[in-house]
Amino acid sequence: MSVVHDIGAAGRSRGAIAAGPGRVRWPDLASVVIYGLFAVLIGLPLLTVLVQAVIPGLFDPSHPDFALNAAPLLRAFGSLRVGTAVLHSLQMGAGVAVLATTLGGLFAVLVQRFDLPLRPLIVTAPWLVFLVPGYLKAMAWVLLMSHGGYLAQLGLMPPGLETAFFGLGGLVFVHTLSLFPLASFVIGGALAGLGSDLEDAARLSGASVWRVWLSVNLPLLRPAIMLSCIAIFAEVLSDFGMATTIARTANFGVLTYGIHAAASDYPVDFPMAGTQALILLSLILAVVATERAVRRKADPRLISGRSRGVRPYASGRGRWIATGLALSIAVLALYLPLAAILVRAFTATLGHGLAWSNFTLANMDKALQAGAPASAALARSLVYAGITAVLSCGAALIICARLDRASATTRAAVSGLAIGSIAIPGIVLGFGYILVWNRLPGFRDWAFPHYGDASLLVTGYVATALPYCLVVILSAVGQLAPSLGDAARVHGAGATARLLRITLPLVLLSVVTALLLSFIRTVFELPISQLLVPQSGSPVPPYVVRLLGHDDDGPAAALSLVSMVVAGGLAAAVWSLARRHLTFGAAPQKGSA
């Protein structure tokens, strides 16, 4: 939500280079291809969702009706269930935004301003929490907090806490632990730029540490704090993992699950799903607009060449108190949930808990047995994720290479499209894909991609991964000097040769980063997977959710654990091989152009 890149500086003069006589100018062709790709993958599905809300009869398979009709909007706004879902979403978003920003800011201060023992266990926690999907965190806390769960078995469950957990309080709690890394990254980045000059001046004037933070640091960090709150608020509104686990169990209706329920009913209530999607998109758009306004008013230029690094605040007891606080956050957000999943994966029942007789390998056998539904789901997810990562990064690299010679206006427009697409809730995009490839004439008859096939699921995955790949790779390509491509062109190198032998080696680190990010995100992508499950079989996320819905939490925990180990292991192996055998950012060898 708050990704900022200055990707136009290096390419402002590149769009002026025109092709030879009689040839199509690449900036024009690149614009057509890029905008067409965004239009088909993202724009058209979103448009159909919006149209469905105001022209409800448009996609009627027997008698299409093109008349405007406000009945779906009136039905939605007059529905107590929809109104409650909107209120719940807003309440949850506001509460999580405040608490997660506070917790993330505290964590950033503890990590940056104190010399912490056990530092590796602490500083890596936000990154690992950020990579674990929401529905797995929700599953872990259900195992911990449910009646007869692990905390109750250990005597750590106060009376009444279980009832309070399965409602707004529990959702805010789990969301806060899930999203505090976002606040830690945003506020930590701004905190790192403060230096110690202003603090030292205030301390020399007699101000206490608390007075320095209240009067100096907090005002300077206010833009980052506001951006963190806005970004987290939008993330909560868009979340589907918690909505389909804890919220569904507690009968706590939210907008994202309302869209899924309307799109999954038989017959499908397309107008109601479209109307709720329109409401959700309107809320997200308002949040994005607010974030942009805050960013324009903010002046976060805190880093200067004369800034001095900060010194740790305390040693001795203060150092260990800070370590205890930071480690407590890491344990609650990461290590305790992972431990719950690990224990449940190797136990027969939840009720018998940690008794030795309850430990078994049966759940892991189901997850690892060749040909079993669980292992087949994992294999499908890995294949789909691999295809998605290659296609998304390949398309992003080609687009970025062509776009690098386009005008600054085109580059800024594509960057805005990419960043804006990241903010689109996956549940809304998945519903749009159903409308386009199941109901829209022309598209529903396509052989590839086709509704109900894995081809459409992979297409949806690519649509969600491509914006991230573009943001990552475009920022790297924008740093390349124009003279490299110009020199290669003078020596007769074609566009493909320049891409593969000059551009790719110089931005390989960003390409590998985007590839692994897309791969891991796709393995655990829930909303698109849930709505576009192919007839050939389910990938991991919907299969795990279905197991949880049937109270098969043991096999669900085992499959989740195996998925995290396999996906993380493959990503780590690829990264290790890339670091060992490839030279990132090295200049091309002489004569390679």
Side-chain angles (χ1 to χ4, degrees):
M1 289 294 302
S2 55
V3 180
V4 183
H5 289 286
D6 183 9
I7 57 178
R12 292 191 176 98
S13 62
R14 303 177 190 182
I17 302 176
R23 296 174 60 190
V24 178
R25 295 177 63 232
W26 259 115
D28 297 335
L29 182 57
S31 300
V32 171
V33 172
I34 294 167
Y35 293 144
L37 192 62
F38 271 96
V40 173
L41 291 180
I42 299 173
L44 183 60
L46 289 181
L47 180 62
T48 57
V49 170
L50 300 179
V51 169
Q52 175 67 60
V54 294
I55 310 179
L58 180 62
F59 299 108
D60 191 313
S62 55
H63 300 91
D65 185 3
F66 298 90
L68 291 171
N69 191 339
L73 291 173
L74 296 176
R75 181 160 66 101
F77 285 110
S79 169
L80 178 62
R81 180 176 58 83
V82 175
T84 302
V86 174
L87 180 61
H88 285 172
S89 297
L90 294 176
Q91 287 177 331
M92 189 166 59
V96 175
V98 173
L99 292 179
T101 298
T102 303
L103 189 65
L106 173 63
F107 190 88
V109 172
L110 293 175
V111 168
Q112 293 195 20
R113 297 302 175 93
F114 290 88
D115 183 17
L116 304 178
L118 306 175
R119 193 173 186 85
L121 290 176
I122 296 172
V123 298
T124 57
W127 297 99
L128 296 176
V129 172
F130 199 68
L131 292 176
V132 177
Y135 67 92
L136 293 184
K137 302 167 191 171
M139 179 182 70
W141 278 103
V142 169
L143 294 173
L144 290 166
M145 301 294 294
S146 59
H147 181 70
Y150 294 126
L151 292 184
Q153 294 174 26
L154 294 173
L156 301 176
M157 178 77 74
L161 184 58
E162 176 193 344
T163 303
F165 177 79
F166 288 96
L168 177 61
L171 284 164
V172 170
F173 174 77
V174 178
H175 265 304
T176 298
L177 293 176
S178 177
L179 293 175
F180 91 90
L182 182 56
S184 178
F185 299 151
V186 174
I187 298 175
L191 185 62
L194 288 179
S196 64
D197 296 345
L198 298 177
E199 286 189 46
D200 292 343
R203 294 297 301 275
L204 288 174
S205 300
S208 65
V209 174
W210 291 108
R211 184 65 181 271
V212 169
W213 275 95
L214 292 176
S215 303
V216 178
N217 288 346
L218 280 181
L220 292 173
L221 292 173
R222 187 179 295 118
I225 293 173
M226 294 178 65
L227 291 177
S228 172
C229 286
I230 294 170
I232 291 174
F233 185 81
E235 288 289 338
V236 174
L237 290 181
S238 304
D239 175 77
F240 184 64
M242 304 290 180
T244 196
T245 50
I246 297 177
R248 182 179 62 84
T249 302
N251 197 25
F252 188 85
V254 292
L255 275 174
T256 49
Y257 191 78
I259 297 170
H260 170 259
S264 302
D265 284 342
Y266 186 81
V268 178
D269 193 347
F270 283 116
M272 179 58 73
T275 303
Q276 293 182 82
L278 176 61
I279 296 172
L280 181 59
L281 279 175
S282 300
L283 293 175
I284 295 293
L285 182 62
V287 171
V288 172
T290 303
E291 181 190 34
R292 302 291 292 182
V294 169
R295 186 180 298 150
R296 281 197 299 268
K297 293 179 180 180
D299 185 20
R301 293 174 292 181
L302 305 174
I303 302 176
S304 69
R306 295 176 295 178
S307 296
R308 294 195 300 269
V310 296
R311 295 178 299 276
Y313 276 145
S315 58
R317 186 165 61 174
R319 176 172 172 247
W320 286 103
I321 291 175
T323 301
L325 289 173
L327 193 59
S328 298
I329 297 172
V331 168
L332 288 174
L334 178 66
Y335 299 114
L336 184 60
L338 288 182
I341 294 176
L342 179 64
V343 171
R344 188 63 190 93
F346 287 96
T347 51
T349 64
L350 176 63
H352 289 87
L354 302 177
W356 282 113
S357 59
N358 193 37
F359 282 87
T360 178
L361 295 176
N363 295 326
M364 298 301 295
D365 287 340
K366 292 180 181 179
L368 296 173
Q369 184 180 4
S375 60
L378 177 57
R380 281 189 288 267
S381 284
L382 294 176
V383 172
Y384 296 158
I387 295 173
T388 299
V390 171
L391 292 179
S392 301
C393 289
L397 180 63
I398 295 172
I399 290 173
C400 292
R402 295 302 183 187
L403 194 63
D404 195 43
R405 302 192 62 81
S407 65
T409 302
T410 302
R411 289 170 57 83
V414 173
S415 174
L417 280 174
I419 295 175
S421 300
I422 292 174
I424 297 171
I427 191 71
V428 175
L429 190 62
F431 175 60
Y433 270 62
I434 293 176
L435 290 176
V436 172
W437 271 275
N438 187 37
R439 291 301 180 95
L440 195 63
F443 287 87
R444 65 187 178 194
D445 299 323
W446 282 15
F448 185 89
H450 187 70
Y451 181 73
D453 291 347
S455 58
L456 184 59
L457 177 62
V458 173
T459 303
Y461 285 156
V462 171
T464 58
L466 182 60
Y468 289 93
C469 295
L470 275 174
V471 169
V472 173
I473 298 176
L474 191 57
S475 60
V477 172
Q479 303 302 316
L480 301 183
S483 58
L484 294 173
D486 295 340
R489 188 181 295 104
V490 169
H491 286 81
T496 303
R498 296 196 303 271
L499 175 64
L500 296 178
R501 303 175 71 177
I502 296 179
T503 303
L504 180 58
L506 293 172
V507 299
L508 195 54
L509 177 60
S510 295
V511 173
V512 174
T513 301
L515 184 79
L516 298 180
L517 175 64
S518 302
F519 177 78
I520 293 177
R521 280 181 52 84
T522 303
V523 169
F524 300 107
E525 170 63 37
L526 177 60
I528 296 292
S529 303
Q530 188 82 351
L531 289 180
L532 302 179
V533 176
Q535 296 177 355
S536 58
S538 170
V540 165
Y543 189 78
V544 169
V545 171
R546 186 162 67 248
L547 288 174
L548 292 175
H550 290 85
D551 292 328
D552 289 330
D553 46 284
L559 179 56
S560 301
L561 182 63
V562 171
S563 301
M564 286 188 288
V565 171
V566 173
L570 287 174
V574 170
W575 182 256
S576 177
L577 288 174
R579 295 287 295 181
R580 183 178 304 173
H581 297 290
L582 300 177
T583 303
F584 295 116
Q589 297 295 322
K590 185 176 181 180
S592 63

